[in-house]
Amino acid sequence: MAATPRKNKTGRRFLAAGAGLATVGALFAAMPSAGAAGDTYAEGGTNGKGWGRMVDVQLLSFNDLHGNLEPPAGSSGQVIRVKEDGTTEKIDAGGVEYLATHLRQARQGNRYSITAAAGDMIGASPLLSALFHDEPTIDALNKLDLDVTSVGNHEFDEGAVELARMQNGGCHPTDGCYVEGKPFKGADFPYLAANVTNEKTGKPILDPTFIWEKDGVRIGFIGVTLEGTPNVVTAAGVKGLKFGDEVETINKYTKILERQGVKSIVALIHEGGMPASDAYNYNCDGDGDGDGEGVSGAIVDIARNVSPQVDALVTGHTHQAYVCSIPDPAGNPRLVTSASSIGKLYTDTTLTYDRATKDIVRTAVASANHVVSRDVPKAADITKLIEDWRPLAAPIANRPQGFIAATIDGRGSTAYEKPLGDVIADAQLEGLAPADKGGAQLALMNPGGIRSDLVYKASGAEGDGVVTYGETFTVQPFSNMMNVVDLTGANLIAALKQQVSGANLKSVKILQVSKGLTYTLDMTKTGADRVVDGTIKLNGEAIDPAKTYRVAMNEFLAGGGDGFAALATGTNKLVGASDLDVFNAYLAAHSSAANPLPVPAADRISVVYPPKP
């Protein structure tokens, strides 16, 4: 069910330090009058016209939509819920037609409602959006009545000039207008990029802040993406840009908003954390002390250092679901939320605004994540939008590429070595192994580049087990060009150790490896030692540090992306076909209706796990 007004919310309230066990109503009663006729001071106190001193402002938020207009398939389109008896269940979720309905239902009865997002609305998108440079997604977000979003790293996939077009409109400089007589109008909402500046001018490339205002209620928003964006985007996408520290930037613009008379502030941060549970309704503050121990990762340090004047943090990037309390620098609990990804959840937060102080009453903040279930009516206007674009994409999207015997998990797999990762790495090795294609001896694939699963169940009229171009594009939407480079054995070993050290120490990134490359990953150890020395072998022979190997990888990895600096040392580079082309060629060569591709065993990386507590 969609969220209902505040009285039915399941999210707990956060008590600021010093408030003790005082009720919100008692706190309100102790406050002096703002002087407005008809003011009331009970919880949520208004006079029925929205003019009471205490005003409940609804904040609806989501993140990492990635252009998923249609319901995501397979395990990628599911969320996990913990039931009252402690068992878990998986729920099909997502699809912008359903997201629109849920948001519209949630807004009912809420005079003051804001809808905000924390980046990656576009980029790494399925074909229906990506084929048209994500114009359909921007159109859909306009219809969702999105008020504001931060940029994310994927907003830079096609560079700053294209991002400006997303904001301001205009037809694509190469492909032109997709609908005759109907130029792309751009986003009705502001993209905020407070920490993304032009290297030459030092000025933000888009607005750094946005002030939402209604009936004198003013709430400021600051939007930032992760400082490490250049490490997770191709160099061309961030050329000429500088990405600043998240905390320093938010604190700077908090002071600017305060000078403008705005005291209620929400930070939209495209950086996130990892909760201790995969369940969307996991109690992140189970012990009730508001110490933030239920979530780990980069967002924890950010939350602990962002100015206490910021009232809530809406986050993203890690594609996780959490509603947590993390102490601000003054030691007071503060809300930090994330709503999974690709439109499967939304967060409904109540911010109680005091007209007298113009600030959020931190003792009266309630929040919860809600499933974008598919048991509600589809939003007719979003359905029409999808149906308008679908025929333009259909001739390409519906083209068969191969056949699978069962679902091959990629993004939906929680294992370090993903079955679909093996298929992709093998495809890259096979495509680049011929001498005239690069002479590759092995291939490496970044896990973040695998955006979905290959789902056995038919997505349209193609039939079960048939893999279409649209489906392979959803798995690999970046069109990265394949590179083959010379790497010394020493640098290859160093790269494998960088999976679990350096930039990847706190959030490991395990490369997917082609057949023949094996090693042991010991997760009972720490840092680089997790990749066990002496176990790295190619076709049964230990990797020789002094020997040179021909290694295939996409251009993102070859440039040192995802913290793999050792891969950027490659020499004698040959540029081949795109990653999608070699993937499709592999499916065509290794599958047929009579002999579909089986699910790989995923047994190339031997993992030693810590004992369960």
Side-chain angles (χ1 to χ4, degrees):
M1 294 293 291
T4 52
R6 174 176 174 163
K7 64 182 181 180
N8 290 329
K9 287 183 182 290
T10 58
R12 72 179 186 84
R13 301 189 182 282
F14 304 110
L15 297 179
L21 297 177
T23 66
V24 176
L27 289 170
F28 288 170
M31 294 178 179
S33 171
D39 282 355
T40 58
Y41 299 101
E43 183 175 353
T46 71
N47 61 4
K49 297 181 181 180
W51 290 103
R53 172 170 171 175
M54 298 301 168
V55 176
D56 280 351
V57 179
Q58 179 187 57
L59 175 62
L60 301 174
S61 57
F62 56 97
N63 51 276
D64 296 275
L65 181 63
H66 291 291
N68 278 260
L69 300 176
E70 298 175 293
S75 57
S76 296
Q78 294 179 325
V79 293
I80 298 173
R81 174 164 58 197
V82 176
K83 297 190 291 185
E84 290 184 2
D85 63 3
T87 61
T88 60
E89 63 178 338
K90 293 183 177 180
I91 305 169
D92 291 337
V96 174
E97 295 159 293
Y98 301 109
L99 176 61
T101 297
H102 280 281
L103 292 177
R104 290 165 185 174
Q105 290 180 352
R107 292 180 188 128
Q108 293 176 8
N110 291 279
R111 179 183 177 91
Y112 301 91
S113 184
I114 311 168
T115 303
D120 275 8
M121 295 295 98
I122 59 174
S125 305
L127 189 68
L128 181 61
S129 185
L131 191 62
F132 309 105
H133 299 279
D134 282 316
E135 290 182 18
T137 296
I138 297 297
D139 288 346
L141 292 170
N142 289 340
K143 292 182 182 295
L144 288 182
D145 292 323
L146 182 64
D147 289 297
V148 59
T149 184
S150 69
V151 295
N153 55 289
H154 281 289
E155 262 80 20
F156 295 93
D157 283 351
E158 295 191 51
V161 173
E162 177 65 1
L163 175 56
R165 188 178 77 88
M166 293 292 99
Q167 178 71 88
N168 301 317
C171 295
H172 191 270
T174 302
D175 295 341
C177 294
Y178 296 109
V179 181
E180 187 175 352
K182 188 180 177 182
F184 175 57
K185 69 175 184 177
D188 292 340
F189 52 89
Y191 260 114
L192 304 184
N195 69 330
V196 187
T197 55
N198 183 296
E199 283 184 342
K200 293 182 179 180
T201 66
K203 296 181 179 180
I205 63 168
L206 293 169
D207 290 341
T209 63
F210 166 74
I211 301 173
W212 181 93
E213 184 170 5
K214 183 176 182 178
D215 298 339
V217 176
R218 305 179 79 208
I219 298 180
F221 290 84
I222 303 167
V224 299
T225 186
L226 67 153
E227 183 181 11
T229 290
N231 296 326
V232 292
V233 175
T234 57
V238 294
K239 185 177 180 180
L241 304 178
K242 182 178 180 181
F243 292 79
D245 180 85
E246 303 95 336
V247 172
E248 291 178 4
T249 303
I250 293 170
N251 290 349
K252 169 186 173 181
Y253 283 101
T254 295
K255 293 178 180 178
I256 291 174
L257 284 172
E258 287 183 304
R259 289 199 293 269
Q260 295 173 349
V262 178
K263 296 183 179 180
S264 298
I265 300 171
V266 175
L268 306 175
I269 307 173
H270 191 70
E271 178 61 288
M274 300 297 294
S277 169
D278 292 332
Y280 81 87
N281 60 338
Y282 160 68
N283 186 350
C284 207
D285 300 304
D287 54 12
D289 61 6
D291 58 9
E293 290 182 356
V295 67
S296 61
I299 197 60
V300 176
D301 286 341
I302 292 173
R304 292 180 182 274
N305 289 283
V306 162
S307 169
Q309 298 307 115
V310 175
D311 296 295
L313 280 60
V314 176
T315 73
H317 186 56
T318 55
H319 291 202
Q320 301 300 308
Y322 48 84
V323 175
C324 292
S325 171
I326 299 177
D328 66 19
N332 295 328
R334 177 168 55 192
L335 185 72
V336 180
T337 71
S338 177
S340 187
S341 64
I342 59 178
K344 294 184 290 187
L345 298 175
Y346 71 93
T347 312
D348 191 342
T349 302
T350 298
L351 304 172
T352 298
Y353 181 92
D354 184 344
R355 289 185 181 278
T357 65
K358 300 180 181 180
D359 205 352
I360 299 299
V361 181
R362 195 86 73 81
T363 53
V365 174
S367 185
N369 276 327
H370 297 274
V371 179
V372 178
S373 60
R374 301 174 191 170
D375 56 359
V376 298
K378 296 179 180 179
D381 56 337
I382 303 296
T383 298
K384 183 179 184 306
L385 181 149
I386 292 172
E387 290 177 347
D388 286 345
W389 286 102
R390 189 179 283 140
L392 301 179
I396 298 174
N398 295 337
R399 198 163 60 214
Q401 301 299 310
F403 302 83
I404 55 176
T407 294
I408 304 178
D409 285 333
R411 194 74 171 188
S413 170
T414 58
Y416 291 127
E417 181 183 350
K418 306 176 189 305
L420 189 52
D422 284 2
V423 175
I424 292 172
D426 286 352
Q428 294 178 352
L429 173 60
E430 182 169 299
L432 284 301
D436 62 339
K437 303 294 184 183
Q441 296 168 275
L442 64 124
L444 303 172
M445 173 64 191
N446 56 307
I450 305 170
R451 306 304 298 186
S452 188
D453 308 324
L454 280 185
V455 179
Y456 179 79
K457 184 178 179 180
S459 58
E462 75 275 12
D464 292 347
V466 179
V467 180
T468 65
Y469 184 89
E471 291 167 339
T472 59
F473 187 95
T474 298
V475 170
Q476 291 205 275
F478 300 109
S479 295
N480 272 315
M481 303 308 292
M482 291 303 303
N483 289 185
V484 186
V485 299
D486 284 346
L487 271 185
T488 64
N491 282 331
L492 177 57
I493 294 169
L496 293 177
K497 288 182 176 290
Q498 286 170 351
Q499 299 175 111
V500 289
S501 63
N504 298 322
L505 177 63
K506 293 183 178 180
S507 181
V508 302
K509 292 185 176 69
I510 305 302
L511 296 167
Q512 307 300 288
V513 299
S514 57
K515 60 183 179 181
L517 184 62
T518 58
Y519 68 94
T520 297
L521 185 66
D522 188 347
M523 298 306 290
T524 67
K525 299 180 179 180
T526 59
D529 289 341
R530 287 174 162 175
V531 176
V532 180
D533 290 331
T535 66
I536 306 173
K537 299 179 180 179
L538 181 61
N539 299 321
E541 294 186 6
I543 294 293
D544 183 348
K547 189 176 177 180
T548 297
Y549 298 86
R550 293 291 283 168
V551 183
M553 66 192 90
N554 60 44
E555 59 187 324
F556 171 71
L557 277 180
D562 269 353
F564 291 100
L567 297 181
T569 64
T571 59
N572 193 24
K573 180 172 69 174
L574 183 145
V575 178
S578 74
D579 52 5
L580 182 59
D581 285 345
V582 298
F583 184 36
N584 285 330
Y586 183 85
L587 290 173
H590 291 272
S591 69
S592 66
N595 294 290
L597 189 72
V599 179
D603 56 1
R604 298 164 188 179
I605 304 172
S606 299
V607 183
V608 179
Y609 293 98
K612 293 183 178 181

